[in-house]
Amino acid sequence: MPIREIVEQIKRGDKSCKDILNDIFPRIEQGHKKLNTFITLFIDRAMERAEKLDKMISSGKETGCLTGIPVAIKDNMLLEGTPTTCGSKMLENYISPYTATAVRKLEEAGAVIVGKTNMDEFAMGSSGENSFFGPTKNPHDPAKIPGGSSSGSAAAVADGQVMAALGSDTGGSIRQPAAMCGVVGMKPTYGFVSRYGLVAFASSLDQIGPFASTVEDAALVLKVIAGHDPKDSTSGNLGGWTPDPILKLDKGIEGRKIGIPKEYMAEGLSDDIRQRIEDTAKGLEKKGAIIKRDISLSLTDYSVAVYYIIAPAEASANLARYDGVKYGYRSMQGKDLQDDYKLSRQEGFGDEVKRRIMIGTYALSSGYYDAYYLKAQKVRELMKKDFMKVFNEVDFILAPTTPSTAFEIGEKIDDPLQMYLFDIYTTSCNLTGLPGMSIPAGKDSNGLPIGIQLITRWYNDPHLFTLAKEIEKIYEQ
Amino acid sequence: MNSNKYQTVIGLEVHVHLKTVTKLFCRCRNEFGGVPNTHICPVCTGQPGSLPVINKQAVKQATKAALVLGCEIQRTSGTVKRRIDEKGKYVFESGTTGTFDSVFSRKQYFYPDLPKNYQISQYEKPLAVDGKVFLEEASILLTRVHMEEDAGKLIHTEGDISLVDYNRTGAPLIEVVTEPRIDSPRKASEYLKRLRQILRYCDISDCDMEKGSMRCDANISLKKSDDTQLGTKVEIKNMNSFKAVEKALEYEVLRIAKLLDEGEKIIQETRLWDESRSMTFSMRSKEEAHDYRYFPDPDLPSLIIEDALIDEIGTELPKELPLDRKHRYMEAPLCLSDYDAEVLTQDKVVADYFEEALKGLKVHSPGCAGKLSNWITVELFGMINSQGIEFSDQPVKPEYMAELIEFIEDGKISGKMAKDIIREIWDTGKSPFCIIEEKGLKQITSYDEIEKICQGVIDDNPGIVKKYLDGKEGVIGALVGGVMKKTQGQANPNRVNEKLKEILKGK
């Protein structure tokens, strides 16, 4: 049942928010035990909110469009009074002193947040295996990775533990686990959703976005959390106007031009996924869309390299604050200040985080800044131009989300470079700021979900949902 | 040791704390003092997920400072500079350095008073470039002015514990950098005085070195006159007053000259000034290279100064700078002394008060302006200091000041009486006229009246008169004193003196 209809039921009085929560609670309990989806659950807090909402409804007060809907948020988003660990020992005991804007909007719309989901430490990872609190497992096959870094949010939605969730996407961390887990996951245009209260990984790449089981539900959540925020200087200001994703859902795609970049369909892509994209394209042609199979994004090969210079560079500065002085893990073994810093960070951070901080520090250091960081930023500008050219020819890009479906837990963890290459199709959206969505497109021959990716122009997010809705209809059978 | 064969090359970096209501990137109060860690928030304590948002008032203050210091600024419609035209007026004109953005950069290093372990500053693309500060007999070129946030304060207690106070973290600063062309410690301290005067005058900062709202670091090197290259520079820190800056640099000139004379190599290092021992000492045993790994802060857009803001500032900047105003006071018709003009133009409110009072002076005898100046800087300042209040809070209206001076010039009251009257004005807020009327404080100036009283005093003091007539002319003071006593200080002392001498002559 779409979220919209459940909310209508609640507002009509057919069901109470408390009922909804009580119904879903066993699913959460069991699911979490099996899949390790949550780092912190706060059912009591959720229950209080549900009761409050029920009181408001019965006294005739207005409540929002997500009233009573159980949702989860990734554990790198601050919610006042709750732990925000970022999947790390460094912040294991950190209690949020304020609430992130996007999260506040969720609560103001009446959503009931049940807990904080598991994630790769500080959002650095593509498999869910980099969490201090143990890996999350894929609901379709617990031996497989759920994807990362928003592993818990994707898995919780796929497993029916919550009706929607928030994740964050810096290099693919919403879209990729959405593909692995067979749910809808969307990264909006950079600046569309406020980053205030999202623990920064790479400031120029991070965005918060929704997970849901259907396109319409995802659109609804995005509508709630989007909009200019004066507390975030990078938050887009469209003169007071926020594009509405719900508005364009059923507009159809007759006459729309959809491009498939030939570089994305080359070697390295699994046959199942390649075929699925072709099938999808044919299905869309039947609906009146025009498919162009020869568009070119010539800089595709550079996207992972550019990403793995810029993201760690920004991260090395963003994670410098974790030193045990003001909050977070502090080693008590240090003999002086320098020692304190070294030991706290050595012991508080996991391997992948340390790896990326080192890469980033190197890329920004004197003598290397020009060759690495500056160069990467220049290529990034070229990539934007590349996409602008393509969007002169087409309105949307249809592409794979990942080169393959979910792999085994433990399979790539010892080969960071292999892990990085898994991000090949998703990093471009972060580097250019373009909006991208992964939607489920059936399963592969092993029964694992396939996700395909849709990309469009900056701030054309609502139309992305239009296309997604049409594709969803194709796979509804 | 001959330090005259070397040229001194000094560059100064001054950090100035801007007067704004809130901090540079958050809404916390920008105030000194206060209970530690009470003016803080997630942004200025570097909590996870917090983001900086630029304070527009701080941008305005920084832009104002840059313009008044003659720097070039990028605005939406091109670059702009403020300079004096042929008529002696300040005008805005296009700059010459081409277009440039102003960008915030992260300066990265680890220290407990820096919550994010990076400082948001400006590196390759500062707010403003070039600039000039006029001294009495020279001008100091500026390289740049840029904006940055301040760090917190560390307090070292006894034992191994240090405490950190984040009240000051995120406070808005500008850094003013001179070209390395200041050629003497004297000029360095004069530059600091003028810089302070200008910035206080325009209400940009309090520039109080004791409170820390103005901090100065210096770079100094020596070279032989025929050397084209600059010598190795030494950085000096921890100078807490203008005098300290001058002394520290003088010390360094001698120290470096001695080393050069002995053929020693100058080590590029940071040295701290020790006020108690009047010497500098090296801060580190080996030089640690600081790689700050600057990069543009992705959380903040480029800083673009709107044309409208420049126009707004243009209307708010004073039409003349303090040094110009001082020179005007020294010229006709005011003809104030260098010292008086300097004191009056230290603070805009004082100079404004002076000119307001001048308007009320109808009598413009020579020296009138000087008298007024004296009354302000000696009497008024004296009362202000003893009360411990600000000049702008003192109660004597400028028109009353003028009235008082008028009465003195007319001979209606004596200088001494005026001192009492001004205290009355302070306490009661009444005009001099009212006070004089009410208390009947008229100076006795009529020769007949004075003659009568003088005669009386002479008759009463035959002993003193005899001494005077015997040649001890100084004792006339005692007779004058007697007359003053009899008239409760209301007799004009000069005329009393005259009359007494006249009468005694006749004896």
Side-chain angles (χ1 to χ4, degrees), chain B residues 4-23:
Chain B
N4 285 333
K5 68 184 199 222
Y6 300 112
Q7 271 180 357
T8 306
V9 176
I10 294 169
L12 294 177
E13 282 168 18
V14 179
H15 286 90
V16 173
H17 177 259
L18 299 174
K19 276 172 94 161
T20 60
V21 179
T22 57
K23 293 183 178 181

Side-chain angles (χ1 to χ4, degrees), chain B residues 40-56:
Chain B
I40 57 172
C41 75
V43 177
C44 57
T45 54
Q47 297 296 317
S50 61
L51 293 172
V53 178
I54 191 72
N55 174 343
K56 293 201 175 102

Side-chain angles (χ1 to χ4, degrees), chain B residues 32-96:
Chain B
F32 275 114
V35 177
N37 293 313
T38 50
H39 301 312
I40 57 172
C41 75
V43 177
C44 57
T45 54
Q47 297 296 317
S50 61
L51 293 172
V53 178
I54 191 72
N55 174 343
K56 293 201 175 102
Q57 188 192 20
V59 173
K60 183 174 179 183
Q61 288 285 58
T63 305
K64 217 184 215 181
L67 285 172
V68 86
L69 295 173
C71 303
E72 192 167 325
I73 288 189
Q74 173 72 54
R75 58 170 169 175
T76 37
S77 65
T79 62
V80 68
K81 225 179 181 357
R82 194 175 97 124
R83 67 168 195 83
I84 300 186
D85 69 5
E86 324 72 45
K87 302 196 200 97
K89 294 185 76 184
Y90 276 104
V91 292
F92 284 133
E93 67 172 17
S94 299
T96 52

Side-chain angles (χ1 to χ4, degrees), chain B residues 33 153 228 232 301 399:
Chain B
K153 241 194 238 168
T228 45
T232 307
E399 50 268 35

Side-chain angles (χ1 to χ4, degrees), chain A residues 89-328:
Chain A
K89 178 178 180 171
M90 183 60 88
L91 292 179
E92 190 180 1
N93 298 310
Y94 178 71
I95 306 292
S96 325
Y98 68 97
T99 299
T101 300
V103 174
R104 177 179 53 81
K105 286 180 160 184
L106 265 191
E107 291 206 309
E108 279 168 5
V112 177
I113 304 177
V114 303
K116 310 288 227 60
T117 56
N118 204 357
M119 54 181 283
D120 282 305
E121 192 179 352
F122 283 104
M124 300 182 187
S126 310
S127 66
E129 295 170 281
N130 289 331
S131 170
F132 175 65
F133 301 95
T136 300
K137 302 183 178 124
N138 193 318
H140 296 269
D141 178 351
K144 302 277 194 293
I145 56 134
S149 60
S150 313
S151 25
S153 284
V157 170
D159 196 42
Q161 295 170 30
V162 288
M163 293 182 191
L166 291 188
S168 73
D169 191 314
T170 304
S173 294
I174 291 176
R175 292 160 286 155
Q176 189 253 57
M180 302 288 105
C181 293
V183 294
V184 177
M186 193 254 180
K187 182 201 85 72
T189 303
Y190 181 80
F192 200 39
V193 178
S194 168
R195 288 187 300 117
Y196 182 73
L198 168 68
V199 179
F201 160 12
S203 317
S204 71
L205 307 171
D206 296 339
Q207 269 294 277
I208 293 177
F211 284 102
S213 335
T214 65
V215 172
E216 185 188 327
D217 286 353
L220 187 56
V221 174
L222 180 63
K223 182 189 164 112
V224 167
I225 61 175
H228 172 64
D229 182 11
K231 294 198 183 119
D232 175 358
S233 303
T234 61
S235 158
N237 196 343
L238 303 171
W241 170 64
T242 308
D244 184 346
I246 296 287
L247 270 184
K248 306 288 180 196
L249 273 175
D250 297 302
K251 291 291 181 191
I253 46 155
E254 170 104 28
R256 294 294 197 185
K257 302 202 191 85
I258 302 172
I260 303 178
K262 50 184 200 269
E263 290 86 358
Y264 283 25
M265 302 299 270
E267 258 182 56
L269 182 60
S270 92
D271 292 329
D272 279 349
I273 298 180
R274 190 198 308 272
Q275 188 57 51
R276 198 58 47 88
I277 289 184
E278 189 45 55
D279 294 341
T280 308
K282 291 211 181 76
L284 289 170
E285 272 172 325
K286 286 208 193 94
K287 286 170 184 266
I290 302 162
I291 305 288
K292 301 188 93 191
R293 288 172 178 76
D294 59 349
I295 62 163
S296 172
L297 288 167
S298 57
L299 295 173
T300 299
D301 274 350
Y302 299 108
S303 56
V304 171
V306 169
Y307 175 80
Y308 277 102
I309 290 171
I310 294 177
E314 294 183 9
S316 71
N318 286 327
L319 268 66
R321 66 192 65 194
Y322 304 109
D323 56 11
V325 171
K326 314 161 291 289
Y327 45 75

Side-chain angles (χ1 to χ4, degrees), chain B residues 160-330:
Chain B
D160 289 335
I161 306 204
S162 296
L163 305 172
V164 59
D165 176 10
Y166 291 122
N167 279 354
R168 204 183 64 184
T169 318
L173 303 175
I174 48 169
E175 185 176 327
V176 181
V177 182
T178 71
E179 292 279 310
R181 304 230 216 136
I182 301 174
D183 60 18
S184 73
R186 199 43 180 330
K187 272 212 188 98
S189 90
E190 206 202 324
Y191 161 75
L192 292 172
K193 288 198 189 106
R194 291 297 164 203
L195 179 65
R196 175 180 186 275
Q197 186 181 42
I198 293 168
L199 295 176
R200 283 179 59 91
Y201 200 78
C202 300
D203 210 25
I204 292 166
S205 171
D206 287 332
C207 287
D208 187 336
M209 275 189 93
E210 256 169 57
K211 286 213 190 97
S213 57
M214 182 175 187
R215 313 197 287 254
C216 177
D217 296 331
N219 287 304
I220 181 169
S221 66
L222 260 54
K223 71 181 185 73
K224 289 213 185 74
S225 339
D226 46 4
D227 272 344
T228 45
Q229 276 203 316
L230 292 177
T232 307
K233 69 176 181 193
V234 177
E235 187 184 20
I236 315 292
K237 284 176 173 295
N238 200 40
M239 302 165 291
N240 295 323
S241 67
F242 297 155
K243 204 94 246 285
V245 172
E246 198 173 331
K247 289 201 294 189
L249 289 171
E250 280 166 355
Y251 178 89
E252 276 301 291
V253 167
L254 295 176
R255 185 187 74 88
I256 295 175
K258 182 159 186 282
L259 288 171
L260 288 175
D261 283 343
E262 290 166 5
E264 298 276 347
K265 200 161 176 281
I266 309 300
I267 307 168
Q268 179 166 332
E269 58 179 348
T270 302
R271 298 177 69 86
L272 298 180
W273 171 248
D274 184 337
E275 184 69 38
S276 56
R277 294 192 291 164
S278 290
M279 56 176 283
T280 64
F281 62 94
S282 185
M283 195 167 149
R284 277 177 263 267
S285 53
K286 68 169 196 267
E287 175 65 6
E288 281 164 17
H290 271 300
D291 181 6
Y292 291 116
R293 298 192 304 282
Y294 286 98
F295 72 102
D297 194 326
D299 287 332
L300 292 162
S302 297
L303 191 57
I304 295 173
I305 310 296
E306 301 282 327
D307 288 341
L309 183 64
I310 301 285
D311 294 338
E312 199 180 298
I313 291 174
T315 61
E316 290 173 19
L317 283 178
K319 299 288 175 282
E320 62 185 345
L321 287 184
L323 200 58
D324 305 321
R325 198 167 191 175
K326 174 188 172 184
H327 292 158
R328 177 162 66 82
Y329 288 0
M330 288 169 67

